[in-house]
Each structure stands twice: as C-alpha cells, then as structure tokens.
Amino acid sequence: MAECSFELHALDEGIGSTVSDRTSLMTESSPTRQRCELSKLIKINISGLKFLARERVLHRYPETLLGDVTRRKEFYCPDTDDYFFDRHRPSFEAIFNFYQTGKLVRPPIVPVDIFFAELKFFGIDNQAINMVLDKEGYRQKSESCPKLPEAEPKRTIWLLFEYPETSMWARIVAILSVCAIIISIASSCAETIPQYQEDKIFDFPQNATRSSRLKMAYGSTFYQVETACIVWFCFELFIRFYASPDRIAFIKDIMNIIDMIAIVPYFLTLIFLLGNVQGSRSAAVFMRVLRLIRVSRILKLSRHMTALRILGRTLILSAGSIGLLFLSLFGSMVLFGTFVYFADLETQNTDFDSVPATFWWAVITMTTVGYGDEHPRSPLGKLAGGVCVLSGIMFLLVPVPGIVANFNRLYTRQRNVLSDDFIKTQDETEKVPKYAWRRFVAPLKTKRKTSSTQETTLV
C-alpha cells in the first residue's frame, strides 16, 4: 500500500505545476497504479464464508467469472464491500485453490455432479474440467455432441442409420444391420461343413459364357445369401456416405474402413468368377484369403455394441502393457526353449530336435495350456518346465490389473455423462419459490450481518 500512497502524494504535488508536468507525472505513475490495482484485496463471500485474494491472482484466469471484472460486478454488494455468491462452500475451496496453484482437485466430500455445476458457474476452463472428470470416470455431454447435416433429407437419413436411439425406425434399421452381419458370418462358417461344401460351384468349363457362369454361381444357396447381405452392406455404406456431414472424416473413420474391407472380398470373387481364372493354384490360394477376410465382418458389430468399442479402446490404451507382455513372453520362450533343448540333447526319443522346435512347447507352457504333445524328458528339462510355468503365470498377471482398470474407467466414463441440463434444472429449482407466500417475500432485500460470517484469508 506504500506504492498507492506514494502515487497520491505525487499527484498532489503536481497541482501547482504545468499541464505537461502533470501529464508526464501521471504517465510515469501509471505502472505504479497498475501494480497497485493488481495488489488490491478482493473480498469473496461464498454463502457467509469469506475469502481474500489479490487481484493479480484472479487475473491469472481472465476468462473465468472471478477473473473478469465486468462479469464480476453483477455480484458486488456495496453494503459489505464484497462479492457475494450463494454457492456451495466446499466446492469453492477447491476452485479457490485452483486460482492459487493451478491444480483442480475435487474434494472427497463433494459429489461429482455438484462440483461440475460449480465449475461451470464460475467459468472454469473446459480443459481443466475435462481433466477432473476423466479422473473421476465422467465426461461432459458436449464432448459427444454429434455433428449433423443441416439440410434435409440428409439429416434424417444420418440420424436413421447412425443413431439408433433417436427413433423407432432407427432401431429397426440397426436390428436389420445386425441381423445381416450375423447371417453373413453364419453363412461363411456353415459353407465349410463337409456335407454343405460346394467347392465345385466355381469350376466352369473353359468354353462357358459369362451368363452361364453367373447362373451356376448364383445357383448356390450360400452365394445367394452372401449376395443379399452384400447388397444391404453396400446400400448402408453408400447411403451413409451420401448423408455424411463430413465425407473426409467419414472415409478416415476406422469403422467405415472396416465396412469397406468387409465388402471387398465379394467383388473380387465376382471378378474372378467373370474372368474364369479359378483353375490356377495361385487363384485358389487367393480365393481362400478372400474367404478369410470375410470373417472381419464380425468387427462390424462394434458399430452397434458399445462394449466392443470400449474393448478396442482399452487395447489401444494398454498397448504399452501388452507390448511388454509379448516382449517378456518372447524372451522367456527363447530362454527356456534353449535350456530345454540342451537339457534333452542326450536323451533318447526327445521331442526337440532344434531350438526353434521348443518354441511351441515354451508358449503353451507359459500360457498354462499344456497340450502334452511335446514335453521335456530329462530331470533338468522338467525342472526348467516347472520354472517356465511359474514365470509365465507372473508375466500374464502383471499387465492384467492395468488393462482391467482401463476398461473399467472407459466403461464408467461411457455411462456417466454430465450435461449443462443438470445445472439449468438445479438453478431453476432454486429460483422458483416452493410456496406461494415466498413469491412476495423473495423480492425483499435484507442486509446480511457481517458479524455472523466467517472469514478465510488465502493470498
């Protein structure tokens, strides 16, 4: 405060001076005045609990309610020379600590929804709010607000095919999509049963025309089912691409890439069918690869099942732990495989004729599967096998708690959604008087007794 008194004294001395002298004096003292204003004590009254803070502390976050002088004036009370807020006291203690230290931590005694409402009221940055909610297993509804097309009928089509929870017709479309996926996967599996195999449906005479080849192919029941499912998949993909609000993001989306991969094998098979190139060995191998790719359609179910998407995010989030697990298993596989090979080197009827031949035994032993098709025969080899089992159990148990914790956190965060609707509903409930007589009493202003308030100074 010495700086402020010095400033006033300097201005008083300039009364008898010229205008230019006074102007230069005020210009020189403007930094001092600014420092004085920033050092000013601000009184904040939270439902009777008072806090004192320097103006410079609040100015660290000028976008917040307390940091913005203009917005803060609305709550100024000239009778007590403080800013009065009828808000939650324990929550504000954490908010005030955020101004002091920059760290935002929810008090254990404060529920998450109440703390979220207080953070929103005081205008705390969304990034800080999201960090707190992420630790608590919550998320804001604004994070998941979808980007919808503005024009019709694209908006209706997008909601119909992308958001099953919006209407009954959208749920019907989702059910049809899931049924098509299940039927396609079941057909791919059933056609491998020996009594249902139709391996010769693609063996055509060399002089067969395209129309005859198509007629023979579509005579197969499995191929008819495959074609019907592909028609639905293509229709669903193209109609969603047409109605997409951002087509570049649509193409880059991993779920849409899976949809594209799921329909590619059918059209490649159709090209081979029309070209009649199934007779070569390389073409037969390629056809088997295409059939293998068709199994990827099971990943399309993750579009309609939240748990599968959470599982995928868990694996991505736990990539470090999973990588460490595979690295440990690989090192142990080489170590114990080499030891068992040399331990059984002089043993008759040994199952291991080389070090790589022991890798299969080491893997199934560390994973506690133990088929028993291969096993060490010497005492040292059996001892190494026992140690291999114990080490495998330890390697498998180490990353499991982290993976489970990540899954629980993502699953809880998916279910716990906080929105501004809760804050608005709460504020409206507090503003509306419960009884009729309070409507006449509420507008009356009464002076608060400062003697009954508590004062906390945190500068």
Side-chain angles (χ1 to χ4, degrees), residues 16-49:
S17 60
T18 62
V19 176
S20 59
D21 293 338
R22 284 183 302 213
T23 304
S24 61
L25 185 59
M26 293 179 65
T27 304
E28 292 176 357
S29 61
S30 59
T32 305
R33 174 177 295 184
Q34 186 177 7
R35 288 195 300 269
C36 181
E37 291 178 354
L38 292 177
S39 300
K40 181 182 176 181
L41 278 175
I42 303 299
K43 298 179 181 179
I44 305 171
N45 191 338
I46 307 297
S47 299
L49 180 62

Side-chain angles (χ1 to χ4, degrees), residues 386-421:
V387 178
C388 182
V389 172
L390 296 178
S391 63
I393 293 174
M394 290 190 298
F395 289 145
L396 291 175
L397 289 179
V398 168
V400 168
I403 298 174
V404 173
N406 290 334
F407 180 83
N408 290 335
R409 183 167 63 87
L410 292 175
Y411 187 74
T412 305
R413 187 173 180 270
Q414 182 70 25
R415 297 180 59 185
N416 298 335
V417 182
L418 295 176
S419 63
D420 295 337
D421 298 337

